Amino acid sequence: MTASSFLRLLRRGGAIAVLGSAMVLAGCSSGEAPGLGEQGYVGGFFGGVASDEPNASLAAREVLTVGGSAADAAVSLAFALGVTMPARAGIGSHGVCLVHDANLGLTEALDFLPPKNAATPPGSPAMPTFARGMAALHARYGRLAWGGLLAPAEQLARLGHRASRATRKDLEEKWRRIASDPIALAALGTSRGTVPDGVSKWQQVELSSVLGQLRYKGAGALYTGTLLKSVFDSYEALGAGFTLEQFQNYVPVWRRPLSLEAGAHRAFVLPPPIAGGVPLGQSFGLLMAEESGPIGDSADRSAEVIKAMIAGLVDREKWVKAGEMTAEQADALLSAEHINLLAGNRQGPSKPIPGLPPIDSGSTGFVVVDREGLAVACTIGLTGGAGLGKMPRGMGFFPARQPYDDYWGSPLIIANDRTFQLYLAAAGDTGAAGFGALLTTTLRAYRDGTSLEAAISEPRLTFAPSVGVIVEADAPEAYSQGGSSLGLPVRRTAALGRINIAFCPSGLPVQPEERRCAASADPRGDGLAALAN
């Protein structure tokens, strides 16, 4: 057993063996004090969660309150999102996470994206990698029994629930596409063929059956036996380009993230070959080096934000063409020396960048932190609203489309590299909208000291190579002027990206009397942040 494995075992306290078949959300036992996994086990600060859908956030909150780790809560939340936001998440989805463990002094990246091969062209059914990704997260950082973590999602689907406003709005946006598939319409629509009304209980019986098998048998149930055959056969009928053997042998990848100076701390992003991390880190580093001041307060400040984004995207064109990199070469992309070199870049990308959708990419991001300083920030999605737009019979979930050339998304975590305390965790949707939303919000909160509520509410802008500068409709004219001053086309849109964020200016963990934390769900949606101080 390695030292890090032993430390993880100590951190988890052998709780899986203790809990056995116990349900995470079971009531208190007859003992004098509630035990791990029972209501009332955690008093005071339990951590925080923020996601795009309230029922999923509440599932994660309950896991934290019974003593579950942030990883446990993230697993429960992610599976619940597959029920409550089925056009953005689910068993057919894929994604990435950043995980920071303050106890171990360790930050890691989890890549559960579908493998790329010539036989699986972009837009075809992507291998469903989500279940194994969540199993990897739970195996490494979980504390409670797997089955109990999936119970809330299964109950939401089997017993039914009143669809939240977030669920209804998201389905309404994609309903024309969903309703064009009879199987999806029957699985998600009312008896009248309409979006759930929020009054009647909304059941997803077929999905609950699949969730029940995963809860009882573990994530491996998707890759063996009758469920494997049903899933693989249905994907093959839709034109999947992966073999049965490739599906069975898929394993998520733990990667070492990249990091850069962020004032007194360090900011962590996803490493190559994942596309979004390095440009986000470089843009963040360029803007951290500037004097503090409101983003978009003037045309000059707006232009600086746009130029920082462009610099990261232009640099990516260069290092991607260079081919595979060593770890040292990847680290150098976020070094202070390299970021200083980028500061003078004033040119846009030489051509449109594939796979960087400007606005909605059919994904969702969430964050969970616990009182011990473990943080999980993930982005999961289907590569487009409702993925393929076709639902296999009897499954209750949409297959994702194979991602385009690269995956444009990266959560962001800020932590101290000496004390290992956590300061910020943020994640959002993919594409240019998520890129701009994550960058501007984290800088406002972390660099400029803006309250988290104000930072996430203020207008946004971003740069998309295929479009130009995109500015929110209610943004000051200075935002548009910043783009125009660089000779770039400017387009306005109603809302630009969704992110969820947790920010602890005094760090986690700390003494209770020093603890200051805030969590926020994006007000552009109808999600929920739950945090106890």
Side-chain angles (χ1 to χ4, degrees), residues 330-525:
D331 287 335
L333 295 173
L334 294 185
S335 67
E337 295 77 11
H338 191 70
I339 288 175
N340 285 337
L341 287 176
L342 297 180
N345 193 306
R346 294 294 183 270
Q347 295 181 345
S350 60
K351 60 182 180 180
I353 299 175
L356 183 58
I359 307 294
D360 190 331
S361 56
S363 58
T364 183
F366 60 84
V367 297
V368 186
V369 300
D370 65 30
R371 60 181 181 170
E372 296 179 21
L374 181 67
V376 180
C378 300
T379 295
I380 57 176
L382 296 168
T383 317
L388 283 179
K390 297 178 180 179
M391 188 176 284
R393 190 176 301 279
M395 296 290 111
F397 62 84
F398 287 110
R401 287 185 290 173
Q402 183 73 12
Y404 297 96
D405 287 352
D406 293 293
Y407 191 79
W408 283 94
S410 177
L412 178 74
I413 280 179
I414 298 176
N416 192 281
D417 58 351
R418 293 180 298 277
T419 66
F420 309 124
Q421 287 173 293
L422 169 76
Y423 287 85
L424 182 147
D429 46 18
T430 57
F435 179 24
L438 197 63
L439 179 66
T440 55
T441 302
T442 52
L443 282 164
R444 283 167 173 151
Y446 179 75
R447 187 196 70 177
D448 300 339
T450 306
S451 72
L452 190 56
E453 183 180 4
I456 202 169
S457 300
E458 288 179 8
R460 298 168 179 166
L461 75 165
T462 195
F463 175 76
S466 59
V467 177
V469 177
I470 308 175
V471 177
E472 286 191 321
D474 60 349
E477 189 57 32
Y479 283 53
S480 298
Q481 291 169 351
S484 300
S485 70
L486 299 174
L488 297 169
V490 178
R491 165 184 163 187
R492 288 199 172 237
T493 189
L496 192 60
R498 290 182 190 171
I499 71 162
N500 293 289
I501 185 168
F503 182 35
C504 299
S506 56
L508 276 180
V510 292
Q511 295 300 316
E513 62 272 14
E514 300 173 4
R515 188 181 291 124
R516 292 185 300 121
C517 286
S520 186
D522 204 312
R524 289 155 186 80

